[in-house]
Amino acid sequence: PPASLLRPAVYGSEIHRYDLVAPTQYLIYPYRMNDLISESELRESYPYAFRYFSAYRDLLSARGSISDAKASWYELVRRRDERWLMSPKILTRDLATEPSFAVDTTGSTFLIKGAAVVPEDPTLLLPLLGYLNSQLVAQYLAPITSSFRAEFQKFEPQHLSTIPVLRTVIEGPIRDELAALVSEVLRAGQESDLESQKHFEEQIESVLAALLGASVGEPV
């Protein structure tokens, strides 16, 4: 069906700390199981999508990376793996004043201009969300990320991939405790209950600080 090329999408700039992402827009994704849909099939089976792409054909064809690789004019510059795109994941904007990770619990959202963490085990989504939004991770990232005006930092995959994850965060009773607290933060956020959200975020910080024998707000 024509709509089968549409994917719900969110821009990194729309992502906020502890969001449950809820896309309000779609992108056209001309791939099937990681393979590009041929131009003839696109024209015949998806005429509206083909018409939309054709309106920008000159612009798309002019991309140097496409011509250098002798790729199709409507192809992505960098291929994505659909297993990654359509997995439950943690998303972040690339520019923020602090770690601002959100979560896609269904694995249905495509990300534009941001970064994502895709755990192999979806049950780790919530404890990792709490960990990545913590002061502990903020202190780790601060000296290695690029800084901009108004205290903005640039969070890129090369930075996120170096974050050490405490084994106790993803194993044992701490994992379940963090997951429960993050669930409360998400619930409070959905209900716009800022007081409760702050309370549960502080509890998350206390749990993580206790793992290292530190106090909340104390450098670790």
Side-chain angles (χ1 to χ4, degrees), residues 8 35 45 52 77 112 154 159 208 212:
D35 291 326
S45 300
Y52 177 81
V77 171
I112 305 169
K154 190 170 182 63
H159 306 131
L208 293 173
L212 299 178

Side-chain angles (χ1 to χ4, degrees), residues 10-207:
V10 63
Y11 279 89
S13 58
E14 299 172 319
I15 291 173
H16 300 283
R17 184 180 172 87
Y18 282 114
D19 267 350
L20 275 169
V21 293
T24 58
Q25 55 200 332
Y26 293 82
L27 58 77
I28 302 173
Y29 189 69
Y31 289 82
R32 183 186 300 114
M33 301 299 292
N34 291 326
D35 291 326
L36 183 70
I37 294 173
S38 69
E39 186 170 345
S40 59
E41 182 182 355
L42 193 65
R43 183 188 300 108
E44 294 168 10
S45 300
Y46 307 97
Y48 293 109
F50 181 75
R51 187 183 306 167
Y52 177 81
F53 282 135
S54 296
Y56 299 95
R57 182 165 187 154
D58 290 345
L59 182 62
L60 293 170
S61 299
R63 293 175 293 166
S65 52
I66 291 295
S67 57
D68 292 345
K70 297 181 179 179
S72 297
W73 59 273
Y74 57 95
E75 196 166 343
L76 285 169
V77 171
R78 297 182 185 85
R79 287 289 188 96
R80 273 69 166 177
D81 188 335
E82 284 190 34
R83 293 173 300 175
W84 177 90
L85 290 168
M86 303 182 73
S87 293
K89 51 192 170 291
I90 298 168
L91 312 174
T92 186
R93 56 197 301 145
D94 55 1
L95 282 174
T97 57
E98 62 180 344
S100 298
F101 290 88
V103 64
D104 167 25
T105 58
T106 64
S108 61
T109 301
F110 280 36
L111 175 64
I112 305 169
K113 295 183 178 179
V117 177
V118 186
E120 292 185 5
D121 180 357
T123 65
L124 297 179
L125 278 173
L126 297 189
L128 281 176
L129 180 62
Y131 180 67
L132 292 172
N133 276 328
S134 70
Q135 292 179 25
L136 179 64
V137 168
Q139 290 176 28
Y140 173 82
L141 289 174
I144 66 172
T145 55
S146 301
S147 299
F148 295 84
R149 288 183 299 177
E151 299 184 352
F152 275 86
Q153 296 170 260
K154 190 170 182 63
F155 298 98
E156 298 179 291
Q158 65 262 35
H159 306 131
L160 305 183
S161 63
T162 67
I163 297 174
V165 179
L166 301 172
R167 187 171 295 276
T168 46
V169 168
I170 58 175
E171 295 179 355
I174 296 297
R175 180 187 71 174
D176 297 335
E177 184 177 2
L178 285 173
L181 289 171
V182 170
S183 292
E184 292 296 335
V185 173
L186 295 174
R187 177 197 58 75
Q190 291 291 294
E191 297 174 359
S192 299
D193 185 349
L194 299 183
E195 184 175 348
S196 291
Q197 183 173 351
K198 181 180 178 182
H199 168 72
F200 288 114
E201 285 192 47
E202 289 174 348
Q203 288 196 33
I204 291 170
E205 298 292 351
S206 295
V207 168

